[in-house]
């Protein structure tokens, strides 16, 4: 018996038409986001101007600019693009790496953080 591929809704436009095999542990949106960061970081580390711009634009296109947080991310991505245009690949890679690492940490909350969140306490 073969499993059917189905379109799974994902909350960001860049991944909204993703077709995945739901029977084989497809990546969640956060995993896709981290992979997009990895791609952008690798392009910056390779001093690949076109690849860096393309990878950063994928991150920008995935934003839904309805919230102040999204606008802040967009400003950071714009800064990274400007850095790449000025051939400051190291600065762009450092910024992207910091953002990627923050998303990774957010995906793995500590037991203390999770308990405080469930209790309704302020986390930050």
């Amino acid at each position: 018996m073969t499993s059917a591929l189905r379109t799974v809704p994902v909350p960001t436009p860049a991944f909204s038409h993703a077709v995945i095999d739901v029977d084989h542990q497809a990546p969640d949106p956060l995993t896709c986001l981290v992979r997009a960061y990895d791609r952008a970081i690798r392009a910056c580390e390779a001093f690949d101007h076109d690849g860096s711009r393309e990878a950063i634009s994928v991150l920008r296109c995935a934003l839904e600019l309805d919230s102040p947080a999204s606008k802040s991310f967009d400003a950071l991505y714009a800064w990274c693009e400007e850095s790449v245009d000025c051939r400051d690949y190291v600065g762009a890679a450092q910024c992207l790496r910091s953002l990627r690492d923050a998303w990774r940490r957010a995906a793995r909350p500590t037991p203390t953080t999770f308990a405080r969140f469930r209790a309704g306490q302020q986390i930050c």
Side-chain angles (χ1 to χ4, degrees):
M1 176 180 191
T2 61
S3 63
L5 292 177
R6 292 183 279 182
T7 301
V8 177
V10 183
T12 58
F15 306 113
S16 63
H17 301 293
V19 176
I20 59 173
D21 184 346
V22 294
D23 297 327
H24 291 96
Q25 296 298 323
D28 60 286
L30 184 57
T31 300
C32 291
L33 178 65
V34 170
R35 287 180 183 172
Y37 276 112
D38 288 338
R39 181 174 168 228
I41 293 164
R42 278 193 307 275
C44 288
E45 290 173 342
F47 303 104
D48 177 1
H49 181 265
D50 293 337
S52 298
R53 289 285 306 201
E54 181 181 333
I56 295 167
S57 73
V58 167
L59 291 165
R60 286 187 87 178
C61 289
L63 290 173
E64 294 179 13
L65 295 175
D66 296 337
S67 71
S70 292
K71 291 177 183 172
S72 296
F73 276 100
D74 188 57
L76 287 169
Y77 297 149
W79 180 86
C80 288
E81 287 179 333
E82 290 172 16
S83 294
V84 165
D85 288 343
C86 293
R87 306 299 192 241
D88 179 12
Y89 297 100
V90 174
Q94 288 174 337
C95 179
L96 293 166
R97 191 174 294 109
S98 295
L99 292 169
R100 181 203 57 200
D101 292 347
W103 280 110
R104 281 183 173 169
R105 282 191 306 276
R108 295 182 309 240
T110 63
T112 304
T113 303
F114 185 70
R116 290 175 61 194
F117 174 76
R118 293 217 29 170
Q121 296 176 358
Q122 185 174 359
I123 295 173
C124 297

